Amino acid sequence: MQRLLRYARWDADAVRDDIRTYAVDHLGTDDGGVLIVDETGFLKKGRASAGVQRQYTGTAGRIENSQVGVFLAYATSRGRALIDRRLYLPEQSWCTDPERRQAAGIPRTVRFATKPRLAWEMIAVARDAGVEAAWVTGDEAYGQDPQLRAALEARGTGYVHAVACSTRVRINHGRTPIRADTLAERLPATAWQRQSAGPGAKGPRYYDWAWIHIDVDEHRHLLIRRNRTSGELAFYLCWSPTTATLPELVRVAGVRWSVEECFQAAKTQVGLDHYQVRHWTSWHRHITLAMLALVFLSAVAADAAPKRPADLHRSARSSEPISLTVQEIRHLLTAVFGQPALTAARLLHWSIWRRRHQATARHSHYRRRSADEPAG
C-alpha cells in the first residue's frame, strides 16, 4: 500500500478526472446537478504531514493539529459523490518554508491559495470538463468571499451561499446597507412561507422561508430560513443568471447538506481519513482512491433505487425494505469477499431483513412528522 501511494507510477489527477466523468454518467440527470464546496479536517500528530498545523476544523469543532482538505461534491436526485479535492496549505507555516515543503514533497508550483480560491479552481475545472450544474452552494466560509461570488457570476453559474447574520444588503434602491438579521426582524408574518428543504431521516425537512430582492438586480436575493421550533435564522445570498423561484432556491440550500453525508460515508465506509501518509503525493492518491470507492458505491445504490412512480410509492410503505444504501452495499461486498462461504441467498435474506426494519422506523418517523405538521 505504501508503494502504491508513494512510489508507483500513476496520475492521481487523471483518476480524479475519471471519477468526475463516472459520477456524471451514473448520477447525472436531465435537469443537471448541484456543485457543493466544503472542507473537512483530518486530525494528525506531529508536524511532518503536508499542510498540518494547529487550525480550526469542524471535524473536532475546535482548533486541533490537523490537515484540512477542500472538496467539491456533485449532487443530483439520483445520488451524490465527491468529485475533486485540494489539500489546504497554510501560508505562514508551510508556503514560506522551503525545507519543510521539500521534505513533504510539495511541488514548487504550489502556492498559497485561500479555501474559497481552491473551491473556485475545482468548480472551474469541473465546468471546463463539461459538468452540467446550474447551481453552486456552500457554507459561510465560501459564501462570505466576494471574489468567489463574482467568479461564479462571471461564469454564469447560479449560487445559494450561506452567509453570516451580520451581512449587509441594500433593498429598495437604498443607499445604506442593512444587516440581514435586522431585515429579518422587519418582515411581516405574510412574508414567510413553509417549504421543505428536502427529505431527511425523519421525513421532509420543513422550515419557514422568506426571500427578498436585493440591490437592483431581480436575479439577486437574500434568502432567510427560520427554524419552526427554535426560531433560529440562517441567511443565504443567492444569484441566478435567469429568474429563479423560491422553491428552487430552497431546494439548492437544502442540497448543501449532501456534502456532509458524503464526508460521513467516505470516512466510515471507505476510509477517507484512515491513512498514515505524510507526503503530498501520497495524500492526494489516498484521498482519490477513497473517492473512487465512494462514487462506485453511490452509482450502485442509484442503479438499485426504484425508478417508476409506483415503485417509489411502494418503497415508502413500512412493509417494503428501503432501497440499498451505500452502507448496505459496502456491507454486502465486504461479506462476499471476506466470507465466501456465505451464500448469496443468505446475504440477501439478512439485507432485506435489516432494510425492512429500517423502512418500518422511517415510516413511523414520517407518520409522526405528518401528524405534527399543521394543516395548510
Side-chain angles (χ1 to χ4, degrees), residues 84-113:
D84 205 348
R85 71 286 178 267
R86 295 285 193 280
L87 178 60
Y88 173 68
L89 197 64
E91 183 175 16
Q92 298 300 324
S93 59
W94 278 93
C95 291
T96 59
D97 190 335
E99 294 183 3
R100 200 178 188 192
R101 289 172 59 106
Q102 183 177 5
I106 299 171
R108 294 183 178 179
T109 55
V110 175
R111 296 291 182 264
F112 173 73

Side-chain angles (χ1 to χ4, degrees), residues 271-285:
L272 184 74
D273 58 346
H274 297 174
Y275 60 85
Q276 297 182 1
V277 297
R278 297 176 174 175
H279 199 269
W280 173 271
T281 298
S282 302
W283 186 90
H284 285 85
R285 287 183 170 186

Side-chain angles (χ1 to χ4, degrees), residues 36-40 116 136-145 148 160-164 235-236 256-257 259-260 263:
I36 314 166
V37 292
D38 202 359
E39 63 197 61
T40 188
V136 172
T137 183
D139 64 15
E140 289 185 21
Y142 304 91
Q144 294 289 143
D145 189 272
L148 175 58
V160 179
H161 280 316
V163 293
F235 303 88
Y236 305 83
R256 186 176 72 84
W257 293 103
V259 71
E260 301 295 344
F263 289 148

